[in-house]
Amino acid sequence: MKILSRVISVRAAAVCAFAVMSGAACAADSETIYLMYLKGSEGPPAVPMRVVWDDTKPRIGIDLGAKYEPALTKLGLPRVLEYDANRDKSQFVVRDPEFARFIKAVAASIVQGFLSASPVPGAWAQPAEVTVHTATLLVTPTPARLEVIARLHVTYLWPQKSGAPKVRDLIKGDIVFVGQPEGAGSGEQGEPRE
């Protein structure tokens, strides 16, 4: 009797493991990998970002690529960004505080470079203060193409020779990325080129 119960337990465990693996395969089937380019620079010599879109959750994963990894690591930022999206009519919207923090860290680094190179005396000592007013991703998936719009509005304080620093826009507008499923018509496969 003990042998029979062990055989049944082993079979039950095997069936459960198979069911779990099948469920994982189904979830992965809902994901599409796209190679994304800045609109207008599609294809070589531009290096694509790898974006994974999951229709069922909906969720976006953005691999910024090995090229940017050293700079991101220096800033304490991840190379791969993952966010949940919410449906808004024909597209999906990402409004995530983590994305806003990512944009703020990158923007502060850029502004610090501006301040270091500024001809204004003492500008290099001014903190790189940035304000993120808008940091939203708009995702429009279709079977043949994915469009991701980064809608950004970031301001920073620019030093003046006299008086208080002046507020300036670092970026105010949309950055549009487009891409096709990996291996579909672009001739690209595997990891993005360095």
Side-chain angles (χ1 to χ4, degrees):
M1 194 65 145
K2 286 185 179 183
I3 294 174
L4 182 60
S5 67
R6 286 184 187 168
V7 169
I8 291 173
S9 296
V10 169
R11 285 186 181 169
V15 168
C16 289
F18 179 74
V20 167
M21 289 188 308
S22 298
C26 293
D29 288 345
S30 66
E31 295 179 345
T32 305
I33 299 172
Y34 294 88
L35 295 180
M36 305 290 292
Y37 295 92
L38 191 60
K39 190 170 184 176
S41 69
E42 294 93 333
V47 178
M49 290 186 303
R50 175 176 268 143
V51 174
V52 178
W53 175 252
D54 187 334
D55 278 325
T56 59
K57 292 187 181 166
R59 186 163 180 79
I60 189 168
I62 304 167
D63 183 347
L64 298 170
K67 177 180 178 182
Y68 299 107
E69 191 165 16
L72 293 169
T73 301
K74 187 176 178 182
L75 295 173
L77 298 172
R79 170 180 157 174
V80 178
L81 311 174
E82 294 184 289
Y83 305 110
D84 292 326
N86 296 310
R87 183 174 279 288
D88 185 13
K89 298 178 185 170
S90 64
Q91 59 187 189
F92 294 87
V93 179
V94 173
R95 289 184 184 94
D96 191 308
E98 288 301 315
F99 181 59
R101 279 190 275 283
F102 178 87
I103 295 299
K104 184 170 185 156
V106 171
S109 174
I110 292 167
V111 169
Q112 188 61 54
F114 291 167
L115 295 173
S116 298
S118 173
V120 175
W124 57 270
Q126 175 182 318
E129 292 185 34
V130 298
T131 302
V132 178
H133 303 278
T134 306
T136 304
L137 293 174
L138 306 174
V139 183
T140 307
T142 66
R145 175 180 159 114
L146 182 71
E147 180 180 84
V148 178
I149 299 171
R151 181 158 290 157
L152 305 172
H153 182 201
V154 180
T155 57
Y156 66 103
L157 298 177
W158 184 252
Q160 303 296 307
K161 289 187 179 180
S162 62
K166 182 178 178 181
V167 175
R168 287 193 176 172
D169 287 331
L170 180 63
I171 182 168
K172 186 176 184 177
D174 295 346
I175 302 173
V176 181
F177 297 91
V178 293
Q180 294 180 332
E182 185 174 44
S186 65
E188 299 280 349
Q189 292 194 1
E191 289 290 317
R193 292 177 293 112
E194 304 297 323

